[in-house]
């Protein structure tokens, strides 16, 4: 039962975390750039790696991706602006906008910046085509089934709002507005397994044949899982690539044109690179249950409350005592928010669980592992709590890549 983070294999080790704890106020996020580089290397077989920045959209992380020749996906005007400020180019396919609708401001900026659009609805095609004929587009196709680690992350099938159900209906619209169809895209959800993957590849081939238009790209979307628990196996990328490569070759043969294979992961690239550091501020018994309350809440790390997600938790003692691995206690970990759901040890549906953890003292630190994806990027200001600091470890240096927001900044919006 490991309670302390690994001391040898990454920069996210006890020595570094202790250094940061002394220097900065908890809670804060820490990322290790090396882990991101290593994950990028694993995907090098794909022609294009497009980072789904929603997983971790800090501009410094985006710059790191750009320097490693990745491209980027944006799902909002804010994410487009982030990509531009990180150095990704307009008038190119370095940024692609993926969505199921346009608001007016986003549409006009996309046309101004000439950013290709991965359209998830026919209305998007009409609205874009009527003012920007010739615009480069992809079709995001709903393969009529989906998959996800939680119902909330399943993006295919009848219960999903994502993608175009019948892509053949897009063809007359594309013709009418002279739009340039360059790619087909499918993303069925997060946490995909091989069985579903085979089905997606098959659905992609079927759609490409049905549409029968010379395209340049297909995108496998994102969704590659990572092992959040110690007994989970990492995904076999070779197998993943082989399935998509086969699909690409079939499409390429049918259309008699070369096809580039793109992948669009978020979590796979960044989840394991990040931890959330928090401090124990209160310990109390509620009947027979032992509650440990920390200074981070679901406004900081939302995944456990939103999906019942598991994050491994380690303890760093605040003093020199040794945490005896055998002196453990069943513990519920909660945050400071005014809601009973502000619990980090819960299942989907909100059932509270306990975690076997060392007996803690006030002032000890709790480390939440694998929070580099959908950690900081899903944080909110609920309970008027400022966004917390983000720190990047790169080449043995510690760099604050986002300072803590101030309460004054929050209030100033209302003045
Ligand atoms: N591409 C598209 C079109 C997507 O909708 C998504 C995720 C991705 C790529 C990246 O998926 P990934 O490789 O990260 O699984 N907040 C949830 C995940 C929501 C994902 C939404 N779309 C979580 O914390 O697990």
């Amino acid at each position: 039962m490991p309670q302390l983070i690994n001391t040898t294999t990454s920069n996210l080790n006890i020595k570094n975390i202790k250094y940061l704890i002394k220097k900065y106020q908890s809670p804060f996020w820490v990322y290790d750039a090396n882990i991101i580089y290593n994950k990028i290397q694993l995907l090098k077989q794909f022609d294009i790696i497009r980072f789904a920045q929603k997983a971790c959209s800090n501009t410094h992380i985006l710059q790191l991706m750009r320097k490693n020749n990745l491209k980027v996906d944006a799902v909002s005007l804010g994410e487009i602006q982030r990509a531009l400020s990180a150095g990704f180019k307009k008038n190119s396919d370095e940024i692609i906008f993926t969505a199921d609708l346009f608001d007016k401001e986003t549409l006009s900026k996309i046309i101004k910046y000439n950013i290709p659009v991965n359209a998830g609805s026919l209305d998007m095609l009409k609205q874009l085509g009527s003012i920007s004929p010739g615009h480069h587009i992809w079709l995001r196709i709903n393969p009529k089934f989906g998959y996800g680690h939680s119902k909330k992350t399943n993006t295919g099938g009848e219960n999903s709002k994502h993608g175009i159900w019948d892509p053949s209906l897009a063809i007359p619209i594309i013709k009418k507005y002279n739009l340039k169809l360059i790619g087909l895209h499918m993303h069925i959800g997060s946490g995909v397994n091989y069985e579903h993957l085979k089905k997606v590849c098959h659905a992609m081939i079927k759609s490409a044949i049905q549409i029968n238009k010379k395209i340049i790209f297909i995108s496998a979307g994102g969704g590659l899982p990572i092992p959040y628990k110690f007994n989970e196996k990492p995904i076999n990328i070779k197998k993943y690539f082989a399935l998509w490569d086969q699909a690409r070759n079939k499409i390429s043969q049918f259309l008699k044109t070369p096809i580039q294979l793109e992948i669009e992961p978020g979590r796979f690239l960044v989840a394991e690179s990040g931890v959330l550091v928090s401090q124990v501020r209160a310990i109390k018994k509620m009947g027979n249950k032992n509650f440990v309350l920390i200074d981070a809440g679901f406004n900081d790390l939302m995944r456990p409350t939103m999906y019942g997600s598991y994050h491994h938790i380690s303890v760093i003692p605040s003093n020199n005592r040794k945490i005896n691995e055998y002196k453990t206690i069943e513990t519920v970990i909660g945050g400071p928010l005014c809601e009973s759901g502000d619990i980090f040890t819960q299942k989907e549906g909100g059932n509270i669980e306990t975690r076997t953890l060392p007996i803690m003292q006030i002032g000890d630190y709790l480390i939440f592992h694998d929070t580099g994806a959908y950690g900081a990027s899903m944080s909110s200001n609920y309970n008027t709590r400022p966004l917390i600091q983000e720190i990047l470890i790169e080449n043995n240096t510690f760099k604050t890549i986002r300072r803590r927001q101030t309460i004054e900044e929050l209030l100033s919006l209302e003045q």
Side-chain angles (χ1 to χ4, degrees), residues 52 54-55 73 98 140 149 153 155 185 187 189-191 221-224 264-268 303 307 373-374 378:
K54 67 193 86 181
D73 174 60
T98 298
R140 176 176 179 180
H149 68 72
T153 63
T155 60
H185 175 284
H187 170 87
S190 287
L224 283 76
E264 193 182 57
R267 178 187 332 267
F268 181 82
R303 304 190 72 250
Y307 316 111
Y374 306 108
M378 286 180 79

Side-chain angles (χ1 to χ4, degrees), residues 271-286:
E272 291 141 293
S273 78
V275 294
L276 170 64
V277 178
S278 64
Q279 191 179 35
V280 175
R281 303 300 306 167
I283 299 175
K284 53 181 180 174
K285 280 253 178 293
M286 307 302 270

Side-chain angles (χ1 to χ4, degrees), residues 236-377:
N236 181 338
I237 293 296
K238 280 203 176 120
K239 202 164 153 184
Y240 198 92
F241 174 80
L243 286 168
W244 273 111
D245 194 33
Q246 241 173 28
R248 173 252 295 275
N249 290 336
K250 283 201 177 133
I251 295 171
S252 178
Q253 270 162 23
F254 176 80
L255 295 176
K256 299 192 178 55
T257 184
I259 301 281
Q260 293 197 45
L261 178 55
E262 190 167 309
I263 191 159
E264 193 182 57
R267 178 187 332 267
F268 181 82
L269 293 172
V270 289
E272 291 141 293
S273 78
V275 294
L276 170 64
V277 178
S278 64
Q279 191 179 35
V280 175
R281 303 300 306 167
I283 299 175
K284 53 181 180 174
K285 280 253 178 293
M286 307 302 270
N288 290 321
K289 288 230 161 89
N290 176 45
F291 276 73
V292 166
L293 304 184
I294 58 173
D295 58 5
F298 78 62
N299 68 301
D300 301 303
L301 174 61
M302 198 179 203
R303 304 190 72 250
T305 300
M306 181 98 166
Y307 316 111
S309 300
Y310 176 94
H311 287 277
H312 185 70
I313 298 170
S314 313
V315 181
I316 296 186
S318 55
N319 48 26
N320 283 333
R321 77 189 199 281
K322 285 246 174 311
I323 294 237
N324 182 339
E325 293 215 351
Y326 300 98
K327 277 215 173 134
T328 57
I329 180 167
E330 287 303 308
T331 303
V332 179
I333 305 287
L337 303 188
C338 63
E339 281 202 34
S340 312
D342 187 24
I343 296 290
F344 293 100
T345 46
Q346 61 176 293
K347 287 224 155 171
E348 189 165 19
N351 291 332
I352 301 301
E353 284 192 308
T354 59
R355 192 77 66 87
T356 313
L357 287 166
I359 295 173
M360 281 177 249
Q361 291 181 6
I362 304 296
D364 286 349
Y365 288 89
L366 285 197
I367 314 299
F368 290 83
H369 293 236
D370 305 317
T371 50
Y374 306 108
S377 66

Side-chain angles (χ1 to χ4, degrees), residues 14 42 72 87 92 99 113 172 201 203 238 268 270 303 326-327 337 392 399 401 407:
I14 297 172
L42 294 174
V72 71
S92 78
Y113 301 148
C201 291
K238 280 203 176 120
F268 181 82
V270 289
R303 304 190 72 250
Y326 300 98
K327 277 215 173 134
L337 303 188
L392 177 66
K399 186 163 137 196
I401 56 170
I407 293 171

Side-chain angles (χ1 to χ4, degrees), residues 5 17 64 81 104 119 139 177 222 233 257 263 270 289 299 308 326 334 341 345 350 378 393 400-401:
I5 43 184
I17 303 284
L64 185 158
Q81 295 293 158
K104 280 188 180 159
L139 297 180
Y177 296 109
K233 283 211 184 91
T257 184
I263 191 159
V270 289
K289 288 230 161 89
N299 68 301
Y326 300 98
T345 46
M378 286 180 79
I393 310 180
T400 294
I401 56 170

